[in-house]
Amino acid sequence: MVSGEKSERSGAAAPSGAARTRGRPRSFDRATALEAALLAFWEHGYEATSVSDLTRVMDIGAPSLYAAFGDKRSLFEEVVQEYGARYGSFGDRALAEEPTARAGVERMLREAAAEYTAPGRPHGCLVIHAAANCSTAEVEESLRERRNANIAAIEGRIAADVDGGVLPPDTDAAALARYTGAMIQGMSQQARDGATRAELEALAEIALAVWPRG
């Protein structure tokens, strides 16, 4: 995707007096436009997706974009929230619903293999990929915090199993969680490079082999 002007790439807000304050009725479906923006950011990342790219795929003018979503960065923040709710929540569910940390991570990795290679949409994870080559510090930091929060959630689940005697007392919960995060991030990139679901599932099997047994 071709980037727009530098001011667009940096997510500059609409100029003073832009249509965001005019209150004219919108002639587009907001949910449809948001999904189009989500797919654009997912495919190309934050930095390489310009405002002109967004207005084209969302099929709206810049004034309507600013009025409905704010500037590029505000739109991206909403996109990340939407992505987490619709496509990225499988990990949280796995950790919450499975009886052990290992079972939760096993399910997480298997579902990542399926989600990251699903047909009809960009491969990999938006939260991982959108940070690539990102020079906007606030966006980069926000995405980093999300990734680290995911690793912290895994660590907490592992630590609970250590405390409960499910895992050996000498298990390094922090290192094991970081290892799991590295596997998920690697699977995302592998999916973007063309790895199949079966290939990622085989990778998940190898990753699980290092887990300690109680």
Side-chain angles (χ1 to χ4, degrees), residues 21-186:
T21 60
R22 294 179 185 172
R24 292 184 300 179
R26 300 177 189 137
S27 59
F28 66 94
D29 181 80
R30 193 180 192 281
T32 300
L34 181 63
E35 177 71 4
L38 186 155
L39 293 174
F41 282 126
W42 192 352
E43 178 66 29
H44 301 284
Y46 178 81
E47 203 71 26
T49 306
S50 69
V51 171
S52 59
D53 293 328
L54 291 166
T55 56
R56 177 174 53 79
V57 299
M58 297 166 77
D59 195 26
I60 60 176
S64 294
L65 185 152
Y66 290 125
F69 300 101
D71 61 11
K72 175 183 168 181
R73 202 174 95 195
S74 297
L75 170 59
F76 181 71
E77 289 171 358
E78 186 169 347
V79 158
V80 171
Q81 293 288 341
E82 181 73 6
Y83 174 84
R86 293 189 57 188
Y87 302 106
S89 61
F90 61 89
D92 290 339
R93 289 197 305 269
L95 289 178
E97 296 173 4
E98 295 300 321
T100 66
R102 188 185 191 283
V105 168
E106 178 177 10
R107 173 175 159 186
M108 184 188 305
L109 293 176
R110 293 188 184 284
E111 292 191 8
E115 291 291 332
Y116 292 170
T117 58
R121 65 190 195 215
H123 286 176
C125 172
L126 180 148
V127 173
I128 295 169
H129 175 63
N133 301 316
C134 181
S135 62
T136 304
E138 296 85 354
V139 172
E140 186 179 23
E141 178 62 22
S142 175
L143 295 174
R144 183 186 302 114
E145 287 176 355
R146 285 180 174 274
R147 295 191 300 271
N148 286 336
N150 290 337
I151 293 173
I154 298 169
E155 181 181 348
R157 193 71 173 84
I158 295 169
D161 277 7
V162 173
D163 292 342
V166 177
L167 290 170
D170 61 348
T171 300
D172 189 334
L176 194 54
R178 185 69 62 181
Y179 167 78
T180 303
M183 293 304 304
I184 291 172
Q185 291 173 22

